[in-house]
Amino acid sequence: MKDMLTIRLKKKAVTKPGQPLYLKDISRLDSKEEIACKVKDLIIYDPQVQHGNFYVIDVVDVMNIIHKHFPELDVRHAGPPQTLVEISGHSRPPSVILVLLVMILLFIGSGLAIMNFHMDVSMPQVHERIYYLVTGEHKSSPLIMQIPYSLGIGIGIFVFFNRLIKKRLKEEPSPLELEMFMYQENIEQYMIDHEKRKEDSGRHESVP
């Protein structure tokens, strides 16, 4: 009876040009300890600069490499059929001036958006009307309502995005984190499909 090895590919792996990816870097292995120790250091991919920024490793290619070195193994697959490899070079630290400019632009833009929204819905008049209904007095600037309302907007943003400084208020993800997760998922799936199409078209062109 053959020894069995089950591999579960990771959805994404990050490496640098000239830094080989081993089987342990792109997958989780389920087998006997001595078998896992033998196969985990197999080189699956050796990234080069000319390969671009992304590369797709297919599970069929991984299984072929394993069978080439260990033909007696019964290799099985579970999980994603491909791993997206991101080949990143030396990243530069972000510019402090650029970060500050972006923060200022976002602050001004969000402030203008909130003020324009309040003018569109006539929020000052709404505050005056509510103040009159509660107290029976007319007042052009009911600060007793406007100040708590302004503070509530800031507190509401913290609660909505599920963050307070560096401490998470709840374990569930915030709407922003969900949107970023879905955005990253779509990008990775697009890159996988795009790289597979390039690979398939290259194979068709090479066939006489």
Side-chain angles (χ1 to χ4, degrees):
M1 183 177 179
K2 290 185 177 181
D3 291 324
M4 188 173 67
L5 171 67
T6 302
I7 59 174
R8 179 184 293 271
L9 293 183
K10 299 178 182 178
K11 297 181 66 175
K12 185 178 180 181
V14 181
T15 186
K16 297 179 181 179
Q19 179 179 331
L21 279 177
Y22 300 95
L23 182 60
K24 62 184 178 182
D25 298 326
I26 65 168
S27 66
R28 295 180 59 185
L29 307 176
D30 182 17
S31 181
K32 296 179 181 178
E33 185 176 353
E34 59 270 18
I35 296 176
C37 291
K38 290 180 181 179
V39 301
K40 67 178 183 178
D41 290 325
L42 286 177
I43 296 179
I44 304 299
Y45 174 60
D46 188 11
Q48 303 298 328
V49 177
Q50 60 270 22
H51 292 172
N53 297 110
F54 293 94
Y55 186 81
V56 176
I57 298 177
D58 195 274
V59 66
V60 176
D61 298 329
V62 175
M63 295 174 72
N64 288 336
I65 293 175
I66 297 174
H67 280 142
K68 181 179 178 181
H69 292 83
F70 303 94
E72 73 283 356
L73 277 180
D74 180 14
V75 183
R76 302 187 182 185
H77 162 251
Q82 294 101 11
T83 295
L84 178 65
V85 179
E86 180 180 353
I87 306 170
S88 61
H90 298 287
S91 58
R92 295 181 299 175
S95 172
V96 178
I97 297 178
L98 183 60
V99 172
L100 289 176
L101 286 176
V102 172
M103 291 175 62
I104 293 173
L105 287 176
L106 290 175
F107 178 79
I108 295 175
S110 59
L112 288 175
I114 293 174
M115 288 189 292
N116 289 332
F117 168 76
H118 285 166
M119 293 304 298
D120 288 339
V121 299
S122 302
M123 188 61 70
Q125 288 78 9
V126 172
H127 285 168
E128 293 176 18
R129 182 63 177 171
I130 295 175
Y131 183 83
Y132 171 74
L133 293 175
V134 174
T135 64
E137 299 179 5
H138 286 285
K139 196 170 185 179
S140 59
S141 297
L143 297 180
I144 194 173
M145 294 189 63
Q146 293 175 344
I147 292 177
Y149 175 78
S150 300
L151 294 176
I153 292 178
I155 296 173
I157 292 175
F158 279 115
V159 174
F160 180 77
F161 288 111
N162 198 13
R163 291 285 181 175
L164 182 59
I165 314 295
K166 294 184 178 181
K167 185 177 181 180
R168 184 186 290 267
L169 297 178
K170 297 181 291 186
E171 291 192 6
E172 65 182 25
S174 69
L176 179 61
E177 289 172 328
L178 284 177
E179 287 297 324
M180 292 299 297
F181 175 79
M182 294 301 299
Y183 175 73
Q184 189 64 35
E185 286 279 305
N186 291 334
I187 289 180
E188 293 175 3
Q189 188 58 50
Y190 171 81
M191 293 307 304
I192 289 175
D193 295 340
H194 180 67
E195 292 296 320
K196 292 299 291 183
R197 284 197 299 267
K198 286 201 307 184
E199 183 179 341
D200 292 340
S201 62
R203 289 176 180 175
H204 292 320
E205 292 176 359
S206 62
V207 176

